[in-house]
Amino acid sequence: ETYEVANFVNKRKGVVIENRGSTFFKTKYNPEKNTTAWRCSKYRSLTNHGTSCKARLITSETFIVGYIGRHNH
């Protein structure tokens, strides 16, 4: 199986992933699986409008190994 390489970018508030025109921030690390969960950065900004973006990524080391949900913006 071939995985996409994650584009890690250092920002003022920490490391984020830029992927397909969207930015994701780290939410949780799972040491047992050696994976990290990332959430779309628009998750909080859209909450005020009665919705929130459900898009997430899962990475293992430098690779994106899973996508969860879809962007709604």
Side-chain angles (χ1 to χ4, degrees):
E1 196 166 348
T2 304
Y3 295 114
E4 185 178 351
V5 176
N7 181 27
F8 295 96
V9 178
N10 285 312
K11 296 284 185 174
R12 190 178 52 172
K13 294 185 177 182
V15 176
V16 297
I17 291 178
E18 291 181 349
N19 179 264
R20 300 178 187 179
S22 295
T23 303
F24 294 81
F25 62 90
K26 188 184 330 185
T27 57
K28 184 168 41 170
Y29 175 68
N30 182 335
E32 292 152 7
K33 294 182 178 181
N34 192 30
T35 59
T36 303
W38 302 77
R39 177 174 278 169
C40 177
S41 62
K42 302 263 182 180
Y43 172 78
R44 290 188 184 117
S45 64
L46 296 174
T47 303
N48 297 335
H49 302 289
T51 185
S52 60
C53 185
K54 306 294 185 198
R56 296 176 182 233
L57 293 178
I58 304 295
T59 60
S60 180
E61 297 178 8
T62 61
F63 298 98
I64 297 171
V65 297
Y67 291 92
I68 301 168
R70 293 184 158 212
H71 293 284
N72 62 356
H73 50 91

